[in-house]
Amino acid sequence: MGTKKSHINLKYKDIENEKKSLYLDYYKDGKRIREVLHLYLLPETSKKNIGVNKQTLKQAEAIRAARQEERLSSDFGVEIRKPSTMHIDEAIDSYEKTALDKGDISTANNIKYMKRAVQAYRGLDTKVVDIDESYCDGFVDFLHKDYTGQFGKIRMTTARAYIYLFSSVLNIAVTNGIIGVNPLRFVNIHERITKERPIKKFLTEGKIKVLMNTQCPVLSRPQVKQAYMLSIFTGLSCSDILSLKWRDIKTKDGRTTIEKRSRNTSVPLTAIAMRWLPQTGSHRGLVFNGLPKDTEMNNILKLWGKKAGIEDTLNFMLAQNTFAYLLLSVGTDIPTACSLLGVTAKTMKGYIKMIAVQQHLNERNQNYCI
C-alpha cells in the first residue's frame, strides 16, 4: 500500500468547453494531494488541437517525472542523478570513434560530415540534454531547405542519412541514461525529406539518328543493331527480343502489331520499326535467330555506342526508356502510354518526370541561345 501511495499519477478532469484540466494525484504525509498544473487538453477536433495536446501531455509528464524524482529522493534517500553536461560534439565524436574501432571507415566519414551539418545548424556547444523536439524539427528543416555542403546543396538521400546518424547519437544517449527518450521519435521526417529516385536515362532524337547512321562495329553480328533499334521503336525488352517469333507479328485491317510477351500486351509496328526486322524469305521460328549471348551482346553494344560517340551505356533498359520518351514526347495520352508500355500509372510517374526534366533542359538551352 505504501508503494502505491508513493507514486504520482497524472490525471485530468472535464471542465467547460469540452476541455480537460490536468493535475497530479498523490499522497503526502498521509493526505491526498491534487496538484493543479494549469495545463489543459483541447477537444481533438482538428490536427492542430491534436498537436497541441501532444505537447501539453509531454510538458505535464515532465513535471510528473520531476515530482516523482523529488519524492524518491526525500522518502527513500534515492540520489537523483545530476543532468549530464555532455555537449553534442562530444557525443558525435564518441559515435565516430565507435565506428572507427569497428573498422567501419565509411560510416565514420559520414558521421564526420553529419557533424559539419550540426555545426552549421546551431553549433556544437549545445548540451545533449537540451536537444528537444523543437531542436530536431528545426534540424530536419535546415537539412531540407538551407544546408549547403562542400559541393553545394545536399541531396535528400544525404539529408536522410545525416538524420539517421544523428538519431543514432541520440539513441546512444538514451542507452547511457543522458536523456530519457530520443526526441526525433516525435518529428515527422519521411513526408518532408523523401527518398529520391534517379531520373530515368534515355536517348534523344539526335542520339537515335546518330546510332541509326553508325555501323555496328562487329560486322558479323548485324542483328545486334537491328534488335536494339527495334527495341527503341517498340519497347521490347531483351527477353522479348530473344523470344520474338514471326507469328508474334500480326497484321489485321491494315494495322501491324507486335506482341510483348513480358508485358502481355501489343504495340503498333510502325514503318520505321519495321525497317529493323531482318530480311528473310522464311517467316517461321525466331525473328532474330542467332543473337549472341548477353555478355557478348552487351560488349557489342558498348563498342557500337563508343563508335557513335554516345556516352550513355547502351542496354535494353535504355532502349525501353527511349521508347517511353518517344511516346510521351509526341503527346501520347497517359492511359495509352501505360497500355503500350505495360506499366501502371504509378510507374508511369518516373517516365513523366523524365520528360519534364528534358523539357526544362530544352527551354534553358533555348533561353541561353537567345
Side-chain angles (χ1 to χ4, degrees):
M1 190 72 176
T3 302
K4 289 184 179 180
K5 290 192 175 183
S6 68
H7 190 71
I8 299 177
N9 297 304
L10 176 63
K11 296 185 177 182
Y12 64 83
K13 68 174 182 178
D14 296 324
I15 57 175
E16 74 280 357
N17 299 324
E18 299 183 6
K19 292 183 180 180
K20 301 179 188 298
S21 176
L22 294 170
Y23 66 93
L24 299 180
D25 183 29
Y26 58 94
Y27 284 86
K28 184 176 181 180
D29 299 328
K31 295 181 180 180
R32 188 172 187 177
I33 306 295
R34 290 183 174 87
E35 181 183 344
V36 178
L37 299 180
H38 302 290
L39 295 174
Y40 307 95
L41 296 179
L42 304 175
E44 297 191 342
T45 55
S46 66
K47 288 185 177 180
K48 181 179 179 180
N49 283 5
I50 293 173
V52 171
N53 287 348
K54 181 180 175 182
Q55 296 297 326
T56 302
L57 284 171
K58 286 177 65 179
Q59 186 179 352
E61 175 57 28
I63 297 172
R64 189 207 66 78
R67 294 285 192 276
Q68 186 69 57
E69 285 188 344
E70 291 170 4
R71 294 211 64 188
L72 287 172
S73 177
S74 174
D75 296 346
F76 303 104
V78 177
E79 181 182 355
I80 300 175
R81 182 183 297 178
K82 293 181 180 179
S84 171
T85 59
M86 176 182 280
H87 294 88
I88 189 61
D89 63 332
E90 299 174 71
I92 295 174
D93 288 345
S94 176
Y95 184 37
E96 181 186 349
K97 183 179 183 302
T98 300
L100 287 173
D101 290 343
K102 292 180 179 179
D104 192 348
I105 298 175
S106 176
T107 298
N109 286 334
N110 288 332
I111 294 170
K112 190 177 296 183
Y113 295 136
M114 177 270 289
K115 182 179 176 181
R116 293 177 185 174
V118 174
Q119 182 176 19
Y121 173 49
R122 288 192 188 177
L124 299 172
D125 292 333
T126 305
K127 293 181 181 179
V128 176
V129 293
D130 292 333
I131 294 177
D132 55 11
E133 183 178 341
S134 175
Y135 178 103
C136 294
D137 192 65
F139 186 49
V140 172
D141 270 344
F142 177 71
L143 291 176
H144 182 204
K145 301 174 183 178
D146 302 319
Y147 181 57
T148 302
Q150 184 178 358
F151 303 104
K153 187 76 174 67
I154 62 172
R155 295 167 59 88
M156 288 301 97
T157 48
T158 303
R160 286 169 68 92
Y162 287 175
I163 289 169
Y164 292 148
L165 290 172
F166 188 69
S167 183
S168 294
V169 172
L170 297 179
N171 283 335
I172 293 171
V174 172
T175 302
N176 294 335
I178 297 172
I179 55 177
V181 65
N182 182 346
L184 261 173
R185 290 176 54 190
F186 306 106
V187 176
N188 183 352
I189 297 171
H190 300 288
E191 292 182 8
R192 293 152 69 185
I193 301 184
T194 56
K195 188 175 181 181
E196 291 179 332
R197 295 184 180 275
I199 303 298
K200 293 180 182 294
K201 293 184 177 181
F202 61 94
L203 298 172
T204 60
E205 291 93 333
K207 291 180 179 180
I208 294 172
K209 290 178 181 178
V210 170
L211 275 180
M212 291 172 67
N213 296 324
T214 302
Q215 188 178 48
C216 183
V218 182
L219 299 180
S220 61
R221 296 291 194 181
Q223 286 192 337
V224 172
K225 177 177 179 179
Q226 292 174 318
Y228 194 76
M229 295 308 302
L230 184 66
S231 177
I232 286 177
F233 293 114
T234 60
L236 292 176
S237 66
C238 184
S239 61
D240 287 331
I241 290 288
L242 292 172
S243 62
L244 183 65
K245 296 181 179 179
W246 286 105
R247 69 185 183 191
D248 296 326
I249 301 172
K250 301 175 182 179
T251 301
K252 185 178 181 180
D253 299 328
R255 183 173 180 267
T256 303
T257 60
I258 189 167
E259 297 297 319
K260 293 175 65 175
R261 292 178 179 271
S262 63
R263 302 290 188 179
N264 195 27
T265 186
S266 60
V267 295
L269 196 59
T270 60
I272 191 170
M274 293 183 70
R275 286 174 49 188
W276 302 104
L277 292 173
Q279 298 297 319
T280 178
S282 176
H283 288 178
R284 292 183 180 181
L286 293 173
V287 174
F288 296 99
N289 193 8
L291 276 175
K293 293 183 179 180
D294 291 349
T295 302
E296 184 182 352
M297 186 151 56
N298 288 334
N299 288 335
I300 294 173
L301 290 175
K302 184 177 180 180
L303 292 172
W304 180 31
K306 186 175 181 180
K307 183 178 180 181
I310 294 175
E311 295 180 357
D312 304 281
T313 300
L314 299 187
N315 53 52
F316 280 90
M317 181 58 69
L318 182 69
Q320 288 179 275
N321 290 347
T322 301
F323 176 62
Y325 165 73
L326 293 174
L327 284 177
L328 296 174
S329 62
V330 296
T332 305
D333 63 87
I334 301 303
T336 301
C338 285
S339 176
L340 294 176
L341 293 169
V343 300
T344 63
K346 183 177 181 180
T347 303
M348 197 68 197
K349 290 180 181 178
Y351 295 113
I352 295 172
K353 186 175 181 180
M354 176 180 73
I355 287 290
V357 170
Q358 184 60 34
Q359 288 176 343
H360 175 71
L361 291 174
N362 292 340
E363 290 173 2
R364 189 175 67 179
N365 291 336
Q366 289 176 358
N367 293 334
Y368 179 77
C369 292
I370 292 172

